């Protein structure tokens, strides 16, 4: 998926819940991809080998069976679909390219943490969960969570440094 949401502070009160806007399907390319997938499935479901297994189409059903328009499909998808993905990237780290091409003082404008998982502008605070991922994976996030936790432990123990081109000291 290309669509990305936003998480913002509601107020300065520490217990106030954040404002979360997932912005599902806000990118046109995600809707076009879903339409293409649905069209492919439509051709598969009418094949002779699938007819004995697929008795009826429950959703979206008849309105999209004949002469469907892309605008109607977009309306239906936005109404009927939700994400099974776990939100990630709310405290993203810089990508390798960002790390390579930006100055240290510029990284906080594109990321929340550095390559050592340290929160910019703080001392002694790290984030070690899927929120540091720069992009949502197209797979369940459990393995990614394990990997990030393991790497964070290695960084804190000093047995590993991030694999980036620019060296930065682990002093914070």
């Amino acid at each position: 998926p290309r669509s990305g949401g936003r998480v913002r502070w509601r107020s300065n009160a520490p217990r106030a819940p954040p404002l979360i806007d997932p912005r599902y399907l806000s990118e046109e390319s995600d809707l076009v991809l879903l339409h293409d997938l649905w069209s492919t499935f439509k051709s598969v479901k009418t094949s002779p080998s699938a007819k004995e297994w697929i008795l009826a189409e429950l959703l979206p059903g008849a309105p999209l069976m004949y002469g469907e328009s892309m605008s109607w499909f977009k309306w239906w998808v936005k109404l009927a679909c939700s994400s099974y993905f776990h939100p990630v990237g709310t405290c993203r780290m810089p990508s390798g390219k960002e790390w390579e091409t930006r100055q240290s003082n510029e990284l906080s404008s594109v990321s929340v943490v550095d390559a050592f998982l340290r929160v910019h502008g703080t001392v002694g605070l790290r984030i070690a969960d899927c929120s540091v991922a720069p992009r949502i994976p197209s797979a369940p996030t459990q393995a990614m969570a394990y990997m990030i936790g393991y790497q964070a432990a290695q960084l804190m123990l000093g047995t590993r440094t991030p694999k980036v081109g620019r060296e930065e000291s682990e002093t914070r």
Side-chain angles (χ1 to χ4, degrees):
R2 300 262 184 241
S3 300
R6 295 185 180 135
V7 177
R8 296 185 177 183
W9 295 111
R10 183 179 302 268
S11 72
N12 290 338
R15 295 194 185 273
L19 293 170
I20 301 171
D21 178 8
R23 297 180 66 219
Y24 294 137
L25 303 172
S26 58
E27 290 289 327
E28 181 73 15
S29 62
D30 291 342
L31 288 164
V32 170
L33 177 64
L34 282 175
H35 186 266
D36 292 348
L37 289 170
W38 180 77
S39 297
T40 300
F41 173 73
K42 190 168 66 169
S43 66
V44 169
K45 78 174 183 150
T46 58
S47 70
S49 57
K51 280 187 176 184
E52 68 180 275
W53 298 102
I54 301 173
L55 302 177
E57 179 181 321
L58 299 178
L59 292 172
L64 285 180
M65 289 179 74
Y66 304 103
E68 68 276 354
S69 69
M70 183 66 160
S71 62
W72 201 95
F73 181 81
K74 288 178 187 179
W75 173 83
W76 179 80
V77 167
K78 286 184 175 186
L79 177 72
C81 295
S82 65
S83 174
Y84 79 90
F85 291 113
H86 302 286
V88 304
T90 55
C91 297
R92 76 190 261 321
M93 69 174 75
S95 68
K97 186 172 186 174
E98 289 167 337
W99 184 265
E100 291 284 332
T101 59
R102 294 182 183 259
Q103 298 295 320
S104 294
N105 61 346
E106 296 176 312
L107 288 172
S108 63
S109 68
V110 295
S111 64
V112 175
V113 298
D114 65 13
F116 291 89
L117 304 178
R118 299 173 300 200
V119 176
H120 297 298
T122 67
V123 176
L125 178 61
R126 295 180 196 246
I127 297 176
D129 62 19
C130 292
S131 64
V132 301
R135 281 184 231 65
I136 190 167
S138 51
T141 57
Q142 184 176 7
M144 183 172 67
Y146 291 157
M147 183 273 308
I148 291 168
Y150 175 79
Q151 295 297 330
Q154 299 300 306
L155 290 169
M156 287 185 274
L157 291 170
T159 58
R160 180 169 186 97
T161 57
K163 290 187 177 184
V164 292
R166 183 175 68 210
E167 294 301 320
E168 183 174 309
S169 66
E170 175 69 67
T171 58
R172 296 192 304 178

